[in-house]
Structures are given as C-alpha cells and as structure tokens.
Amino acid sequence: MSMTCEQFVELVTEYLEDAMDADTRQRFEEHLALCPGCVIYVDQIREIVRQAGQLQPEDLSAQARDQLLRVFDDWRPK
C-alpha cells in the first residue's frame, strides 16, 4: 500500500528516531524515493533538529525561553 505526503509528514519523527516498524519504514522509504518534495521536507526537519541540538540556554533571550516553556507546559500528546 502506498503512502501519501500527508501520511509521510505525520511519520517523519518516528522515522528520524528509528521508531518505525519494518513495514511502515519500507513504505516510508518507497515514498521518499519517489517524492522530491518529501526529500526536501525530511532534510529540513533533520537540519532543524541538528541546529536546535546545538542551542545552549544562554543562546535564547528571556522572552524566547519563556515562550518555549509555555509551549512545553501546554503541550499534550495527541
């Protein structure tokens, strides 16, 4: 069964965290091999993760830190 771009986007985090079952990973990678837009999307997410991982607490303004903390406090899993 093929995968749509919408389904692909929903699964990117699982893919990057290597938390995907074998069948889903195969369908994900088949879609990735055929969809240039999703290749760009995955590359963008990888770059965001890489850059965010380099941030130090002192890199954030007090306002940005407070906004992030509010987002994390309000976040609930779907």
Side-chain angles (χ1 to χ4, degrees):
M1 183 162 87
S2 64
M3 181 177 288
T4 67
C5 293
E6 290 79 16
Q7 293 169 323
F8 181 94
V9 166
E10 291 293 323
L11 294 169
V12 166
T13 301
E14 284 183 48
Y15 178 74
L16 294 176
E17 293 178 351
D18 199 25
M20 196 176 270
D21 65 72
D23 178 60
T24 305
R25 174 175 283 281
Q26 180 177 349
R27 291 188 308 117
F28 186 95
E29 290 177 343
E30 286 172 356
H31 181 91
L32 191 59
L34 299 173
C35 184
C38 286
V39 169
I40 292 169
Y41 181 76
V42 169
D43 288 346
Q44 289 172 333
I45 297 298
R46 280 188 176 123
E47 183 61 17
I48 290 168
V49 169
R50 187 189 68 75
Q51 289 190 23
Q54 295 176 353
L55 284 175
Q56 299 298 314
E58 59 273 10
D59 293 334
L60 299 174
S61 68
Q63 181 182 7
R65 186 186 62 242
D66 291 345
Q67 286 178 316
L68 280 172
L69 290 174
R70 276 195 300 276
V71 169
F72 291 138
D73 284 344
D74 294 340
W75 180 80
R76 300 286 181 270
K78 294 179 183 177

